[in-house]
Amino acid sequence: MDSPNVELMSALASLFECGKYSDLTIICGIKRYPVHRAIVCSRSTFFDGACRNLFRESESGIIDLTEDDPEAVEHMVNYLYHLDYLSKSLSRRTSQRRADSPLSGRISSLRKSKKLNLAMVEDPLLAMASAANAMPNPLTPPDEQPNRFEADLSAKLPDMPVENLVEEDSFENMEAEPEANVENPHLVTHAKVYAIAERYGIPGLKSLARKKFAQQLELHFGSSEFPEACQEAYETTVDTDRGLRDVIIQSFRSHPELSLRKDVESAIRETPGLAFELFRMASGLPVAS
Amino acid sequence: MIAGRGRQRIRPPRRGLHGDDIDFENTWGTIASAFREIHTKNASRLSYEELYRHAYRIVLKKKGDELYKRVKEFEHEWLSNEVRSSIQALFSPNLLANSQGLGGTTTNERRVAGERFLRGLKQAWGDHQVCMSMLADVLMYMDRVYCQDHRRVSIYTAAMVLFRDDILNSPTSDIEDRTVLGLLTQVILDQIQMERDGDVIDKHLIKSCVYMLEGLHVDEMDAENQRLYNVSFEHDYLETSREFYRQESELLLRDSDAGAYCKHVRKRIHEEEERCRSTLLESTAPRIQKVVEDELIKNRIHELVEMESGVQFMIDNDRLDELNLIFDLYSRVDDKWELTRAIQKRIVDMGTDVNSAAIAASQAPPPAAESGEKGKGAVQERSLNQQTAAAIKWVEDVLQLKDKFDTIWRVSFMEDQPLQTALTRSFADFINSPTFPRSSEYISLFIDENMKKGIKGKTEAEVDQVLDKAIVLLRYIQDKDLFERYYKKHLCRRLLMNKSVSSDVEKHMISKMKIELGNNFTLKLEAMFKDMTISEELTAGFRRHVEGLGDKDPKRIELAINVLTSMTWPLESMGSGDDEEGRRTRCNFPTAIERIKRGFEKYYNEKHSGRQLTWLPNMGSADIKATFPKVPQKDGSTKERRHDLNVSTYGMIILLLFNELLADQFLTFEEIQAQTNIPDSDLVRNLQSLAVAPKTRILIKEPMSKEVKPTDKFYFNEGFQGKFVRIKVGVVSSGNKVESDRERRETEKKNDDSRGFCIEAAVVRIMKQRKELSHQQLVMETLSQLVGQFKPEVHMIKKRIESLIEREYLERIEEAEVDSYRYLA
């Protein structure tokens, strides 16, 4: 990355860490994020709407997001300043800064496990494997949306990642130390971040979350988080939002054995939207009506 | 889609969105009361986040449709109850009265009431916009997800439409069917009318209301011509304005003069332009402009031009400013035909006046003609001089006219190109008018006069100016060949008689004509100058030759000679009328002269063999030293008197006859003629100048009278007395003057002859190239080839073609459908 970009990114990071010039505070439960209207309002239609009009928020300078999931809020704020969330470099900073915050204990303990986070690693072999998995199912109708999406994703996989990884890490010039987290693919977290991005109108975060979700699901479709992630995805956005839905349906298509899992089965029973789409898939109909 | 109702949970319920189904009615109640707060400007008490969350949840739970409907209902209720009543509170009798257009209310009352109404409406609209943008921000998710997916217009737009339907389209009262919108249009028009009448109105206020009309459309299509502004307001505005200006123009044309009218129109145009900028929309500007232009200019243009104080008055009185105004106004409407026509008419009228004045001046009987003392010759001479003077006056008048219109064109018409063309055409029209055939001659005479006298003592720049004027006129001349003929004739005399003040100026003029009319035109003129130069060399060479022959003879006659190329010089037109029968007169020279003449012929033939020299005694002049017998002087002494006489060649021949006569001997006219063989008319004129003109009476005629009769006797006037040593004996009509009618006919005949050659040459050139051509085309091409020289008449071309066919240059194509010719090589 060129140095002007580095300069801007580290300036944003330090603004966030020090809370300098902050003119807006986001509250979520007991957490307070001193942020900047210029940065958050220009990225999110929700914050813009809150600050633009003469509501209580614009007068008090406080936006209370306690109703939202605290983890998702933290990731969103992180994204607004770092263009990423849940990455190792960020988590280190975050944990340094908020060593005293009650959540940080949990997060840092997660990070400290130092297990390999495959989401951040670009293994060509893995990439090829996923690309092979993503091969279009001959049974599916050609104009099906998930297929197209998958094709996109797999086409990108081989050449995109390595650079990406370098980019993300270059903030602090550290080596791409493989992040350890094989057991926790954060599928639910990504789904929540996706939902909050949709809710507050942050398209960049939405697509980032989807990308992460898709990558993780590719690797961890067997994860115990999968059923909950499915529910989360189907309940937090409207039916027409295909972002996560397509990824999930594609997983079911590529891995029919998923449906045999008990926990998956009960999740499907509870999530009519998912059930309906799976039914359509099985019937060979276009999933998205 | 299936709504996820009543499902069992296998996990503890999560917070937030994933809670159980929301109670729509409850949530809507919260939202609705918050909206009410927003509308009453208490938004700061509300949490945006909360409202957003509620709306978001409703949409997420697929109740977007219901929410959308409810919001619209809410706004509808709000507008038709709260807002409409606040608008209705603004209606007052004064406001409603003006719709009937009746009196009873003063303008001021109406204005105040109108402004109150406008202000209230503007306030309501502004509030509505602000509140709706807040609502729209709260309902952002609905707009983004529900409205997009279901192709609904955004809630904001929908609410603006509601304002149109619930406020603007609501009736002003129960009994009238007039809507608030109609009233608004009415009020704005009324206010504008007040401003036109000189009142000051609140333009900003109106502009805000206009913006509202601009933002709303009649239907759901967002086409520009469907804006309320265009449909409801602009149309009425243009119509009332049209009516207003129609009446105003009528009133103004009746009550004021054209200049004031133009000033007023310009003011109105400017006002309307300004009004569109400050009060209405710029897009109206071209339309209202057209209305004003139509009503004030286009429909009135004729009356205006023809007014007593119209264009003619302005031209005659040099009202450049007003002409400029009128021009400026006319350039706004498409064609300037009326103005052009009026100006052209004026030019032709004034030009015709100049023409008639010149004709009248040239034909007026000379005042001195009554006194019978002077002979008919003098009368003729005087009348010729008078004609020359008339010619010069004509040129100067035309130039003055040209100056006048040039100034008008430059100052008032902004150097408009089409108008210049029109001016030029009009000038050409009267200059080439068939009732005034002498313009070519007059212009040439004007140049002649200036070359001989006019430019004396003038600076180079001034001379240049005079020449340019002549060129300017020359441009208008259609029959350039005729002009060339006259110019050659006049130039010829100037050159041969040394009348030119400066040969540099002459050459300068030629070069100017070359630029203006092309090389062809000046070719022969330049050749004349060349002949003059060669002649000078010849004369000098001959003198050296004679000197080399032997002893210096004190009685030797100096010979200065001009050898003229016969095709180049218009010699025939310089000869006297005796050439009618085509015979070249040959007079008898005295022996001494004859000898030197032979000498030169020999010298010349040695230089250029095979050339024939023809002597033109009528063109030459001679210096004679004459000795008169002693006569008593005032102081008593007697003294021989010597005079240097400058006479024409013929004069010299005549005088030399008397050398051999005794003092009391005489010669009769017939004797002189027999001895000299000088043509009658030349002889008469020379005798007149020698024996009749009072100051140069070197001969005595008997009987003494102006007329010269064949039986008259002539004596040498021994008692001649002259005040100067050097005496110039002028010969009547030797200068360049206006031609007499007879001369003119001749000139025209010659001109026609040479035109015939030109036409034949053109026809042959064309046919040689095209081989075959229809009659029509041939005539057209011939005309276009000759346009630079003259405009031939078609029947003349026809004749020439006939003649060419006879001489077998061309032949008719027998089988052709239309008359066609073929070139015969």
Side-chain angles (χ1 to χ4, degrees):
Chain A
M1 196 184 288
D2 344 342
S3 88
N5 282 355
V6 174
E7 185 183 284
L8 175 67
M9 292 309 296
S10 50
L12 284 177
S14 90
L15 271 180
F16 179 56
E17 275 171 42
C18 310
K20 205 178 174 190
Y21 306 123
S22 165
D23 51 4
L24 186 71
T25 305
I26 295 173
I27 293 179
C28 183
I30 49 164
K31 292 198 70 173
R32 298 171 73 88
Y33 304 92
V35 295
H36 308 81
R37 288 179 198 220
I39 287 168
V40 298
C41 295
S42 54
R43 312 274 287 287
S44 150
T45 52
F46 168 79
F47 289 114
D48 195 24
C51 295
R52 183 168 54 199
N53 297 300
L54 283 174
F55 289 105
R56 198 166 66 206
E57 282 86 346
S58 77
E59 283 192 5
S60 63
I62 294 167
I63 295 179
D64 190 341
L65 299 184
T66 306
E67 292 279 328
D68 286 296
D69 184 286
E71 198 191 355
V73 170
E74 169 158 8
H75 291 326
M76 172 180 75
V77 175
N78 258 321
Y79 167 79
L80 289 175
Y81 283 86
H82 303 298
L83 295 183
D84 202 357
Y85 67 93
L86 258 187
S87 73
K88 192 183 168 202
S89 56
L90 293 178
S91 67
R92 174 184 286 176
R93 273 195 308 248
T94 323
S95 55
Q96 276 166 1
R97 188 163 66 85
R98 295 217 183 75
D100 55 340
S101 101
L103 265 179
S104 66
R106 192 187 118 210
I107 293 172
S108 52
S109 69
L110 285 175
R111 305 300 145 111
K112 273 175 201 152
S113 61
K114 286 266 174 192
K115 286 177 189 165
L116 186 68
N117 182 356
L118 282 172
M120 304 314 297
V121 178
E122 301 305 332
D123 186 333
L125 276 176
L126 283 174
M128 280 166 68
S130 67
N133 284 336
M135 278 304 183
N137 188 336
L139 286 175
T140 46
D143 62 338
E144 217 172 312
Q145 233 176 338
N147 249 355
R148 212 160 50 214
F149 168 72
E150 273 307 299
D152 278 352
L153 199 63
S154 57
K156 275 183 195 160
L157 276 173
D159 50 336
M160 158 192 81
V162 183
E163 286 169 26
N164 249 10
L165 197 66
V166 173
E167 269 177 32
E168 280 157 8
D169 285 346
S170 67
F171 291 138
E172 296 182 352
N173 292 330
M174 48 180 256
E175 284 172 26
E177 242 178 278
E179 194 162 343
N181 224 340
V182 175
E183 276 155 25
N184 192 350
H186 296 297
L187 283 177
V188 176
T189 306
H190 291 316
K192 282 177 177 173
V193 172
Y194 183 85
I196 206 171
E198 160 72 0
R199 177 170 171 177
Y200 293 143
I202 314 172
L205 179 58
K206 221 178 134 182
S207 65
L208 179 64
R210 192 192 65 180
K211 192 180 92 190
K212 285 181 187 271
F213 183 85
Q215 285 174 350
Q216 291 296 347
L217 188 56
E218 204 59 57
L219 300 172
H220 302 286
F221 58 87
S223 159
S224 60
E225 275 190 48
F226 180 69
E228 197 189 342
C230 290
Q231 278 184 291
E232 185 74 28
Y234 273 82
E235 283 168 12
T236 53
T237 53
V238 290
D239 298 337
T240 47
D241 191 320
R242 302 305 306 167
L244 298 187
R245 284 179 170 79
D246 283 337
V247 177
I248 288 168
I249 293 295
Q250 187 57 38
S251 281
F252 275 105
R253 182 174 284 154
S254 320
H255 310 285
E257 70 273 17
L258 273 176
S259 314
L260 301 175
R261 276 167 55 181
K262 271 279 175 225
D263 52 350
V264 174
E265 182 192 324
S266 73
I268 293 172
R269 285 181 186 284
E270 276 184 49
T271 317
L274 174 60
F276 177 72
E277 288 183 11
L278 287 173
F279 153 71
R280 286 183 70 102
M281 180 192 91
S283 316
L285 296 166
V287 173
S289 48
Chain B
M1 287 282 168
I2 306 154
R5 271 180 187 277
R7 62 194 165 99
Q8 295 163 343
R9 304 203 59 83
I10 54 165
R11 284 164 200 279
R14 280 158 287 163
R15 285 190 301 168
L17 311 171
H18 316 294
D20 260 317
D21 273 330
I22 49 158
D23 178 347
F24 180 82
E25 291 304 331
N26 254 344
T27 317
W28 168 246
T30 316
I31 293 176
S33 71
F35 283 2
R36 213 161 284 125
E37 295 286 324
I38 290 174
H39 274 300
T40 47
K41 304 188 182 171
N42 288 320
S44 59
R45 295 219 300 260
L46 305 167
S47 161
Y48 174 75
E49 190 274 335
E50 187 191 338
L51 294 173
Y52 186 90
R53 179 156 34 86
H54 287 315
Y56 174 74
R57 261 189 217 169
I58 291 176
V59 175
L60 194 60
K61 294 302 168 194
K62 307 191 180 74
K63 294 271 173 41
D65 190 37
E66 185 72 13
L67 178 62
Y68 190 80
K69 222 158 60 198
R70 291 290 181 94
V71 175
K72 275 181 76 171
E73 268 167 33
F74 175 87
E75 283 304 319
H76 171 66
E77 294 291 317
W78 181 265
L79 287 168
S80 29
N81 297 328
E82 308 290 329
V83 182
R84 194 186 295 170
S85 62
S86 78
I87 296 293
Q88 272 162 354
L90 300 168
F91 299 161
S92 66
N94 283 342
L95 181 70
L96 298 173
N98 76 50
S99 62
Q100 276 90 40
L102 295 172
T105 56
T106 66
T107 312
N108 202 40
E109 282 169 350
R110 279 211 323 276
R111 199 190 67 227
V112 171
E115 282 181 1
R116 208 167 81 87
F117 169 72
L118 292 176
R119 203 165 289 128
L121 199 58
K122 173 197 168 189
Q123 181 69 41
W125 170 248
D127 286 351
H128 186 63
Q129 277 182 307
V130 169
C131 293
M132 280 324 294
S133 87
M134 289 174 86
L135 256 62
D137 276 350
V138 167
L139 301 170
M140 202 181 274
Y141 194 70
M142 179 181 80
D143 270 345
R144 200 170 78 218
V145 173
Y146 168 74
C147 293
Q148 254 175 30
D149 287 355
H150 295 80
R151 294 178 197 283
R152 293 284 157 84
V153 295
S154 74
I155 192 68
Y156 183 84
T157 314
M160 295 302 121
V161 171
L162 285 176
F163 189 87
R164 178 195 75 199
D165 294 342
D166 291 330
I167 301 297
L168 295 181
N169 287 343
S170 69
T172 48
S173 69
D174 298 335
I175 39 166
E176 272 187 280
D177 60 351
R178 188 154 53 120
T179 60
V180 174
L181 182 61
L183 182 63
L184 172 66
T185 305
Q186 188 66 55
V187 168
I188 297 178
L189 291 179
D190 201 32
Q191 298 266 327
I192 288 174
Q193 190 51 51
M194 290 174 202
E195 189 184 42
R196 280 186 186 139
D197 294 340
D199 275 6
V200 176
I201 57 167
D202 188 344
K203 297 177 185 169
H204 279 291
L205 186 56
I206 298 175
K207 185 95 177 180
S208 329
C209 293
V210 163
Y211 278 141
M212 172 178 77
L213 296 179
E214 184 193 15
L216 294 173
H217 291 76
V218 172
D219 51 24
E220 308 313 318
M221 311 288 275
D222 283 356
E224 190 190 302
N225 57 5
Q226 289 297 308
R227 297 188 305 199
L228 282 187
Y229 175 81
N230 295 57
V231 173
S232 156
F233 174 76
E234 194 179 68
H235 177 259
D236 286 4
Y237 174 60
L238 295 178
E239 279 315 303
T240 51
S241 301
R242 187 179 295 282
E243 189 49 41
F244 168 74
Y245 284 120
R246 184 178 302 146
Q247 287 170 6
E248 189 181 65
S249 66
E250 221 167 87
L251 208 69
L252 274 171
L253 279 176
R254 207 166 54 216
D255 295 345
S256 58
D257 63 25
Y261 183 86
C262 290
K263 280 192 194 104
H264 186 80
V265 172
R266 188 185 257 192
K267 189 177 124 238
R268 282 299 192 202
I269 287 173
H270 179 73
E271 271 175 19
E272 289 298 340
E273 213 174 299
E274 187 56 37
R275 178 166 301 120
C276 286
R277 205 172 299 134
S278 66
T279 316
L280 305 174
L281 292 184
E282 302 250 15
S283 63
T284 302
R287 291 171 199 151
I288 185 70
Q289 206 81 321
K290 186 167 183 318
V291 168
V292 181
E293 284 165 2
D294 280 358
E295 291 306 325
L296 292 187
I297 307 174
K298 208 171 166 188
N299 296 348
R300 303 289 176 181
I301 199 163
H302 189 75
E303 291 167 69
L304 189 56
V305 167
E306 297 299 324
M307 263 170 99
E308 212 170 295
S309 56
V311 169
Q312 181 175 341
F313 172 84
M314 294 177 188
I315 291 173
D316 290 354
N317 293 284
D318 286 325
R319 297 280 177 93
L320 296 181
D321 288 349
E322 289 176 8
L323 282 168
N324 176 241
L325 273 173
I326 225 167
F327 170 77
D328 184 49
L329 296 184
Y330 289 171
S331 37
R332 291 173 179 276
V333 294
D334 296 339
D335 66 318
K336 294 191 262 297
W337 188 80
E338 283 281 351
L339 178 65
T340 311
R341 185 191 54 78
I343 289 166
Q344 286 193 309
K345 181 169 172 295
R346 196 65 206 130
I347 293 175
V348 173
D349 284 355
M350 291 173 99
T352 309
D353 285 351
V354 170
N355 286 353
S356 326
I359 291 169
S362 66
Q363 285 172 352
E370 306 297 309
S371 58
E373 208 181 311
K374 298 184 177 176
K376 195 183 160 198
V379 173
Q380 218 167 20
E381 182 184 357
R382 176 158 295 236
S383 99
L384 281 174
N385 279 333
Q386 201 176 354
Q387 287 206 16
T388 308
I392 287 159
K393 180 160 186 325
W394 178 83
V395 169
E396 272 161 5
D397 285 351
V398 172
L399 283 173
Q400 209 178 353
L401 203 59
K402 163 91 180 141
D403 271 354
K404 181 188 177 78
F405 280 96
D406 274 353
T407 311
I408 289 174
W409 177 73
R410 209 178 50 244
V411 177
S412 303
F413 298 158
M414 318 306 281
E415 313 202 349
D416 180 71
Q417 218 49 52
L419 266 180
Q420 190 188 32
T421 316
L423 293 183
T424 307
R425 199 179 315 121
S426 301
F427 270 94
D429 277 354
F430 83 78
I431 288 174
N432 295 309
S433 155
T435 57
F436 187 76
R438 296 209 156 185
S439 40
S440 295
E441 187 185 359
Y442 279 9
I443 293 170
S444 180
L445 264 177
F446 170 79
I447 299 171
D448 186 62
E449 180 66 19
N450 273 300
M451 286 297 182
K452 289 196 298 203
K453 296 176 195 144
I455 57 171
K456 255 181 217 161
K458 284 192 175 160
T459 65
E460 210 167 296
E462 282 168 335
V463 170
D464 215 47
Q465 217 174 358
V466 171
L467 300 189
D468 280 340
K469 279 181 180 176
I471 292 286
V472 163
L473 290 185
L474 197 49
R475 266 179 219 153
Y476 293 122
I477 291 290
Q478 205 172 55
D479 297 334
K480 304 252 177 357
D481 58 337
L482 200 60
F483 172 81
E484 185 191 358
R485 189 169 294 278
Y486 283 113
Y487 194 81
K488 252 160 78 175
K489 181 176 143 190
H490 294 154
L491 175 66
C492 170
R493 296 224 177 175
R494 287 203 297 281
L495 290 178
L496 294 184
M497 297 183 178
N498 267 328
K499 290 276 179 63
S500 268
V501 173
S502 152
S503 71
D504 280 349
V505 176
E506 289 279 5
K507 280 173 185 157
H508 193 49
M509 184 70 202
I510 301 287
S511 69
K512 273 186 190 296
M513 287 198 278
K514 194 176 193 167
I515 292 166
E516 194 59 36
L517 303 171
N519 220 6
N520 264 355
F521 187 83
T522 51
L523 216 56
K524 284 186 177 170
L525 299 177
E526 282 170 308
M528 286 165 77
F529 282 98
K530 204 169 157 202
D531 274 359
M532 291 305 286
T533 318
I534 292 170
S535 298
E536 268 173 40
E537 285 164 14
L538 268 176
T539 305
F542 182 62
R543 187 180 299 127
R544 277 196 303 279
H545 168 77
V546 172
E547 276 166 6
L549 283 182
D551 300 336
K552 201 166 180 190
D553 180 358
K555 283 194 176 173
R556 187 164 61 220
I557 299 163
E558 294 274 345
L559 180 70
I561 197 128
N562 288 322
V563 179
L564 315 176
T565 315
S566 59
M567 285 309 287
T568 309
W569 294 71
L571 298 179
E572 64 283 353
S573 69
M574 295 177 18
S576 57
D578 268 25
D579 284 348
E580 271 164 58
E581 293 139 45
R583 71 184 158 89
R584 179 73 63 183
T585 53
R586 225 172 254 243
C587 72
N588 301 328
F589 289 100
T591 354
I593 307 295
E594 187 65 25
R595 201 179 317 121
I596 194 159
K597 179 182 152 215
R598 292 245 174 77
F600 180 79
E601 276 172 355
K602 191 162 161 260
Y603 171 79
Y604 188 80
N605 275 329
E606 277 168 12
K607 288 205 140 203
H608 311 277
S609 62
R611 291 198 189 171
Q612 191 183 351
L613 284 173
T614 308
W615 295 79
L616 296 170
N618 55 328
M619 298 302 299
S621 66
D623 289 328
I624 308 172
K625 282 187 171 43
T627 317
F628 293 90
K630 293 173 187 170
V631 285
Q633 299 285 297
K634 280 175 190 161
D635 56 5
S637 69
T638 55
K639 178 169 141 194
E640 232 179 27
R641 289 158 301 130
R642 290 176 177 277
H643 284 284
D644 286 345
L645 300 179
N646 176 268
V647 295
S648 67
T649 308
Y650 282 142
M652 173 195 72
I653 296 170
I654 295 165
L655 286 179
L656 286 180
L657 291 178
F658 289 89
N659 257 353
E660 287 140 34
L661 286 186
L662 296 174
D664 55 347
Q665 282 185 314
F666 65 86
L667 290 168
T668 63
F669 178 86
E670 280 169 329
E671 283 170 334
I672 296 173
Q673 199 195 10
Q675 289 190 39
T676 60
N677 199 23
I678 296 172
D680 275 358
S681 64
D682 283 330
L683 185 55
V684 167
R685 276 190 290 135
N686 276 291
L687 285 172
Q688 271 175 344
S689 53
L690 287 171
V692 179
K695 282 183 183 160
T696 56
R697 225 170 263 171
I698 298 157
L699 299 180
I700 294 170
K701 182 166 96 75
E702 209 182 75
M704 184 57 211
S705 68
K706 281 227 139 151
E707 298 297 317
V708 176
K709 295 196 184 71
T711 53
D712 284 351
K713 299 170 181 165
F714 294 91
Y715 298 86
F716 181 65
N717 181 4
E718 297 201 327
F720 175 80
Q721 284 190 321
K723 285 180 186 147
F724 306 100
V725 175
R726 220 183 129 75
I727 292 166
K728 182 167 167 60
V729 182
V731 178
V732 176
S733 101
S734 64
N736 285 330
K737 295 201 173 92
V738 170
E739 291 175 313
S740 63
D741 285 345
R742 189 174 55 89
E743 286 172 313
R744 183 159 179 84
R745 275 196 300 280
E746 263 171 49
T747 310
E748 270 171 8
K749 187 178 162 291
K750 278 172 197 147
N751 204 44
D752 280 352
D753 289 347
S754 75
R755 279 184 183 188
F757 292 126
C758 284
I759 293 170
E760 281 183 4
V763 168
V764 169
R765 258 198 313 276
I766 293 163
M767 291 307 290
K768 194 166 186 176
Q769 192 193 358
R770 309 290 292 266
K771 305 299 176 210
E772 284 180 19
L773 211 55
S774 77
H775 176 78
Q776 207 59 31
Q777 271 175 301
L778 180 57
V779 170
M780 296 276 286
E781 290 204 20
T782 310
L783 283 171
S784 74
Q785 271 215 2
L786 294 171
V787 77
Q789 302 170 51
F790 59 96
K791 187 163 173 272
E793 284 171 55
V794 175
H795 83 258
M796 203 184 223
I797 301 179
K798 250 184 193 158
K799 256 195 197 157
R800 288 348 292 177
I801 294 175
E802 299 289 333
S803 152
L804 285 170
I805 291 171
E806 266 170 38
R807 284 177 283 156
E808 297 190 333
Y809 281 97
L810 308 177
E811 66 172 6
R812 281 184 213 282
I813 304 178
E814 298 294 340
E815 64 273 20
E817 286 173 29
V818 288
D819 278 354
S820 301
Y821 307 105
R822 178 180 297 129
Y823 180 71
L824 298 173

